[in-house]
Amino acid sequence: MQRCSCRHPALWLVGWLVAGCATGEPADLTPAALEAKARRGDDRDDRDDRDHHHPQSRRPPIGSLADAAARTDRLVGTAVDAPFLNSDPVYAATLASEFSYLTPGNETKWGSLQPVDPAHWEFAPADAILSFAHRRHLAAKGHVLIWHSQLPPFINDGVTRDDLVALVRRNIHEVMRRYRHETRAWDVVNEAVADDGTLRDTVFLRTLGPTYIADAFRWAREEDRQAVLYYNDFNIDTVNAKSNAVYELVRGLVDAHVPIDGVGFQMHLEAQTAPSTEEMVANLTRFTDLGLRVNISELDVRIANAVGDLATRLAIQRQVFHRAVAACVQVAGCESVTTWGFTDLDSWIDATFGPDDPLELDEQYRRKPAYYGMIDGFMAVPVDPPGTPPNLIANGSFEIGSDGWAASGGRLSTSRRTAHTGERSARVTDRTEASHGAVYDARSVASRNTSYDVSAWVRISGAASDRVTLTATTRCIGGADTVTALATATATDAAWLPLGGELTTPDCIADDIALGLSGPAAGVVLHVDDVALRRHEQLGPELVANPGFEIDTAGWFGFGGAALSSTAAQAHSGARSGVATARTATFQGPGLDLLAAGAALGGTYRASAWLRIAGTSLSPVAMTLKSTCDGQATFQRIAITTASDAGWTRLTGSIALPSCAATELVAYFEGPPAGTDIYLDDVSLRQDLSVRSPNLIANADFESGSTSGWFGFGSPALTATTAQAHGGRWSLLATNRSATFMGPGSDILAVASPGVYQASAWVRLDGAAAGPVFMTAKITCAGAADQFVRIGAASATDSGWTLLTGSLSVPSCPRSGLIVYFEGPPAGVNEYIDDVELRR
Ligand code: XIL
């Protein structure tokens, strides 16, 4: 095969431009290619728009991941699966149009090349992938020469040392020689280190001893003097025991002049525990400081366990892809980002971790929010600070065009004349009315009855200054449009101006939720950039009663046997912090009893804490939730960060508490090696009230003006009334109560599921100065006697409203009846109730 020199990104680009290895294949006219072509219509505007003083705008605007990566002289790659490549033309076309780099997902592994016996090689699938790369001018990396997994059946502990050396050398020789023209790099050794930092127990370690790693690099170098030789591993994406061990391993190789060129960081990430850009940069940089290159080699981001609805989880995934690419771009020696596959149609995650959607294109090869996150990473659009609710608008930065946007009049295009971040922004020209502007359809990302922060940057040309308005248009099915001005400001032609406001969506099924930017006089050009729609968090009260350890450790304990004390030795704020000492295991640390603190089961909580360690310079510290339901303990990661002995680090995360009737619910901090002290300060846990589940109670605020959904338990009379109201104008009044147990009831059998619900209601009396009110559940498990369960109690009065709170645990028996009702005042006393809630 002819050598297509793809050894260095810059050389590769040159090779691409002179088409030195072109075969003259016609461009595919697959749906993806057509779609990409249609998208590029947008770019024609940019051409007349180029600012010839800016070298970058002499290049065409970016139309693919590969274009974006090339802006930073990096490669962007993907793992390739031979069966898809051979059978799905859209897969092949998308691969060729979006990427500049590929790695065979399985086909160059030893076990794929020699699946039967040492005498036979099966090169055809690998040949097909690497000749595809060659024909389509994609650089390629071989993967992998030495790995304990996916080995031929004849590589086992029965093989003698000499035979194993010979077999390994022959594999390296055959495979590297065969593909030396197509592969610019090789993963020489994969996953040789275990999570605890020791060398992984593999057939190679057992038979050849620890020197097999250095030997493999030497043998590989003998075979190919130019290939970039990588060590590759997972769970080393941040500073931790394993990445420390890999660091020591490769430092030893460098010191011994072993021909290793770089380290690959797999980055199989889980959205809610993915490291920050800063953490990744700090970790990657210590490797490049050794004179090595680095690459992100197998990026994917699992979202199945992330908190929130699908739109939110996809937006969180976008944040993580953005962060990881940004980290590579910020590290000079990071030469590529490869995702492990590119369509959710085909990912190893589903088979290994369970069903998920971990990649940047969906099953129909459409661009997911994660795709735009990658684009933003390459285009240096700033990443969200940790803990920021994600932007639900996938394409708010317009770096790759105006996908998802439309004009309400005039013409929408993108431009590189001006940009708030990156190199491109949206603009609306040919505006013939002030109402003409840019519009985003947010129906698929915004939920009903939810508050959002909306923001955008605007600028105008064709007038020195004019008003720009950020609007929201909503319409309930069958209803009329409601147009709300969220923010208005005077934009200028001299600088970008931020606009921001709050949107609360109507509590209905909406057939329109649109965001718009408009306002300047006809003829003025409107520029828009960096538009964001983020859930407005409504945080409940602080759950942590003693967040700063200023006096003592009240409410805290040493989880797993650590000693816990309040100390003046360190403090993030105030004079003291908490410190866990005498830690004899990594899981020991400061713990907090969340049941005792009054946490709402089923609630979603935002966590934040400041951490510092002593005894180790850098170490991961995780915040973990332990919950015990039905005698079964479960551990969930709330958040993880890299703590240091040189200063305080903030940890942020979110956790959905289990909704089972938990008997134990503890949050604790763990991770550093035994013997390391953990300092903790300014801990916060607040419920995110905007993600609570729907209210089980129908007509809960009586603003319908009717008693619909309610019945009299016993035989009281019910009326909706405006005589009193806690919120709004209406409440519910129960009269003719001839026994204490009588009162208003609601049947929740059809809507409740097993688990714990939080209850609240406002109550008031008429006919007695004071008296008790109880909220009670009548639960009927099929075939068993009725159970009456107290949900909550309050001392009500006739002079004002009183809040009643409590919780209801719905059993998992087959239920034939489930009613909640209000009772308690003496017979003859009337009861008002209002704003009743029963939610997780
Ligand atoms: C995976 C492949 O994607 C799967 O198709 C196969 O069944 C198992 O291996 N780390 C690696 C990759 O280095 O080689 C693995 O690839 C994923 C984890």
Side-chain angles (χ1 to χ4, degrees), residues 105-106 109 143 147 150 190-191 232 266 268 298 340 348:
N106 289 300
K109 292 171 181 172
H143 173 85
W147 187 32
Q150 294 181 274
N190 194 30
E191 304 180 356
N232 193 57
Q266 292 186 9
H268 296 294
E298 304 186 12
W340 205 243
W348 76 300

Side-chain angles (χ1 to χ4, degrees), residues 245-257:
V246 170
Y247 177 80
E248 292 306 332
L249 171 72
V250 300
R251 189 167 71 162
L253 297 176
V254 169
D255 287 350
H257 304 289

Side-chain angles (χ1 to χ4, degrees), residues 84-274:
F84 277 83
L85 186 65
N86 299 335
S87 64
D88 183 345
V90 183
Y91 183 96
T94 310
L95 170 58
S97 63
E98 288 289 354
F99 296 93
S100 48
Y101 200 17
L102 64 74
T103 307
N106 289 300
E107 294 70 14
T108 47
K109 292 171 181 172
W110 196 353
S112 305
L113 295 167
Q114 293 209 284
V116 185
D117 63 63
H120 292 97
W121 293 87
E122 284 192 14
F123 287 117
D127 285 356
I129 291 183
L130 291 167
S131 76
F132 176 89
H134 179 78
R135 287 197 315 276
R136 308 307 290 266
H137 322 298
L138 276 75
K141 183 172 72 172
H143 173 85
V144 329
L145 298 170
I146 303 292
W147 187 32
H148 63 278
S149 206
Q150 294 181 274
L151 281 170
F154 54 85
I155 300 297
N156 53 50
D157 285 297
V159 180
T160 64
R161 185 191 159 85
D162 287 351
D163 285 352
L164 189 57
V165 167
L167 286 164
V168 165
R169 292 198 71 162
R170 194 181 59 149
N171 178 49
I172 291 175
H173 169 74
E174 291 290 334
V175 180
M176 286 191 85
R177 191 192 48 172
R178 186 176 184 91
Y179 298 120
R180 56 183 317 198
H181 299 305
E182 290 81 20
T183 48
R184 65 177 294 278
W186 271 95
D187 289 327
V188 177
V189 177
N190 194 30
E191 304 180 356
V193 174
D195 274 348
D196 65 1
T198 59
L199 283 183
R200 185 185 294 278
D201 182 16
T202 69
V203 63
F204 303 109
L205 183 69
R206 288 189 297 271
T207 308
L208 307 177
T211 53
Y212 83 88
I213 297 171
D215 287 340
F217 280 96
R218 290 194 189 100
W219 297 331
R221 177 59 79 232
E222 278 171 26
E223 209 49 62
D224 188 335
R225 304 245 309 281
Q226 282 170 284
V228 186
L229 302 182
Y230 275 111
Y231 175 82
N232 193 57
D233 215 327
F234 66 99
N235 280 358
I236 57 166
D237 316 313
T238 184
V239 175
N240 58 35
K242 181 170 178 181
S243 67
N244 290 347
V246 170
Y247 177 80
E248 292 306 332
L249 171 72
V250 300
R251 189 167 71 162
L253 297 176
V254 169
D255 287 350
H257 304 289
V258 172
I260 177 175
D261 298 313
V263 177
F265 297 78
Q266 292 186 9
M267 296 216 185
H268 296 294
L269 302 175
E270 177 148 42
Q272 69 276 24
T273 54

Side-chain angles (χ1 to χ4, degrees), residues 760-784:
S760 66
W762 292 86
V763 296
R764 180 173 184 141
L765 301 183
D766 171 42
V773 177
F774 307 118
M775 186 176 180
T776 307
K778 179 183 166 190
I779 304 171
T780 315
C781 291

Side-chain angles (χ1 to χ4, degrees), residues 495-553:
W496 286 91
L497 178 82
L499 270 180
E502 195 179 326
L503 161 70
T504 300
T505 51
D507 193 6
C508 67
I509 297 173
D511 57 4
D512 192 16
I513 303 177
L515 301 174
L517 288 144
S518 59
V524 175
V525 176
L526 175 61
H527 304 272
V528 178
D529 206 358
D530 294 327
V531 188
L533 172 70
R534 303 176 196 267
R535 204 163 41 73
H536 180 85
E537 292 191 318
Q538 291 162 269
L539 297 180
E542 181 57 61
L543 191 67
V544 184
N546 177 17
F549 302 91
E550 287 304 314
I551 296 168
D552 55 22
T553 60

